[in-house]
Amino acid sequence: QKEVEQNSGPLSVPEGAIASLNCTYSDRGSQSFFWYRQYSGKSPELIMFIYSNGDKEDGRFTAQLNKASQYVSLLIRDSQPSDSATYLCAVKTSYDKVIFGPGTSLSVIP
Amino acid sequence: DGGITQSPKYLFRKEGQNVTLSCEQNLNHDAMYWYRQDPGQGLRLIYYSQIVNDFQKGDIAEGYSVSREKKESFPLTVTSAQKNPTAFYLCASSGVSRSDLAKNIQYFGAGTRLSVL
């Protein structure tokens, strides 16, 4: 089992819809969780991080964490074509390493 | 402005040649990392350093070497032993925050694209 898993996509959503990106992790003791956005040919940039169970909202982005299910998600409301990118989930494990998932490619169709 | 600077942006390697990728940060971060990214793939950790004069191998260290003589600098050498070096190389750093949790946020440079001639 890989340590951090994401659906590779591509995930296609129409403009204005909600995009839902999912991430599961294997280390039950993982402490904090990060979502990065990476445009094609560019480096990753942090969108949000979360460490408590529940939801954390920042503008159009909501991160959701369920430690019991070892699941973290990112919701993007009112998706825009500029949101088209690859989204990387990263997890800080109990053994003090940050592990990146393979990323999910999102395409927002105008 | 604070940030992470990688150079060069593009690099070409001849067979049998060693090449060095530069990474400099002025964020006063303790930890620095090197990742390799192949097309359509995620990030794979090559080496990381949590303190000056100390570094650890990541998941794919073979064919690579690093040094950490200064806090600000973490150069990566791609040696001739790395037979398939063509990839996008990303340097990142983390640390220095009032929040212990925020200390783990990694900030990335713009990357170096390495190709083989």
Side-chain angles (χ1 to χ4, degrees):
Chain A
Q1 181 187 6
K2 292 184 179 177
E3 293 179 276
V4 179
E5 298 196 57
Q6 298 179 253
N7 291 330
S8 61
L11 173 66
S12 293
V13 300
E15 183 175 355
I18 295 175
S20 177
L21 304 160
N22 304 318
C23 174
T24 58
Y25 57 94
S26 59
D27 177 22
R28 185 168 287 278
S30 295
Q31 301 165 2
S32 44
F33 308 85
F34 311 88
W35 282 102
Y36 287 82
R37 176 177 60 201
Q38 186 177 23
Y39 291 114
S40 180
K42 303 296 185 182
S43 59
E45 54 180 340
L46 181 75
I47 300 174
M48 297 184 69
F49 72 97
I50 186 169
Y51 52 87
S52 298
N53 276 328
D55 295 359
K56 180 181 179 181
E57 187 174 317
D58 184 0
R60 294 186 296 112
F61 298 96
T62 299
Q64 298 176 317
L65 175 61
N66 184 326
K67 289 186 178 180
S69 300
Q70 295 174 236
Y71 174 96
V72 58
S73 65
L74 179 70
L75 301 179
I76 307 175
R77 291 183 300 281
D78 188 23
S79 295
Q80 300 298 309
S82 59
D83 294 325
S84 297
T86 296
Y87 290 80
L88 303 172
C89 170
V91 175
K92 180 177 181 293
T93 64
S94 60
Y95 45 96
D96 216 30
K97 281 186 68 175
V98 174
I99 308 294
F100 283 83
T104 297
S105 174
L106 172 66
S107 179
V108 180
I109 311 300
Chain B
D1 283 18
I4 303 172
T5 302
Q6 289 188 243
S7 63
K9 190 172 182 179
Y10 299 96
L11 186 58
F12 298 91
R13 193 192 88 168
K14 295 180 182 177
E15 192 170 340
Q17 185 182 39
N18 293 351
V19 293
T20 297
L21 285 60
S22 171
C23 179
E24 303 276 333
Q25 55 98 359
N26 60 4
L27 300 168
N28 199 30
H29 284 171
D30 289 313
M32 297 186 74
Y33 312 82
W34 274 106
Y35 293 93
R36 169 178 173 146
Q37 188 174 39
D38 293 282
Q41 304 296 313
L43 305 179
R44 292 189 288 169
L45 183 64
I46 305 172
Y47 269 99
Y48 64 103
S49 168
Q50 295 183 313
I51 196 169
V52 174
N53 291 323
D54 189 41
F55 48 83
Q56 285 77 41
K57 293 182 179 180
D59 301 318
I60 56 164
E62 186 174 349
Y64 300 96
S65 66
V66 293
S67 63
R68 186 87 186 276
E69 297 176 2
K70 298 186 300 181
K71 187 175 185 178
E72 302 81 15
S73 179
F74 192 40
L76 173 73
T77 296
V78 183
T79 74
S80 57
Q82 173 49 248
K83 298 305 180 187
N84 183 22
T86 298
F88 187 40
Y89 290 86
L90 287 159
C91 178
S93 69
S94 68
V96 186
S97 172
R98 293 176 186 168
S99 161
D100 282 340
L101 293 162
K103 283 181 182 176
N104 297 301
I105 296 172
Q106 294 188 18
Y107 297 91
F108 288 84
T112 293
R113 289 199 179 277
L114 175 61
S115 302
V116 176
L117 288 176

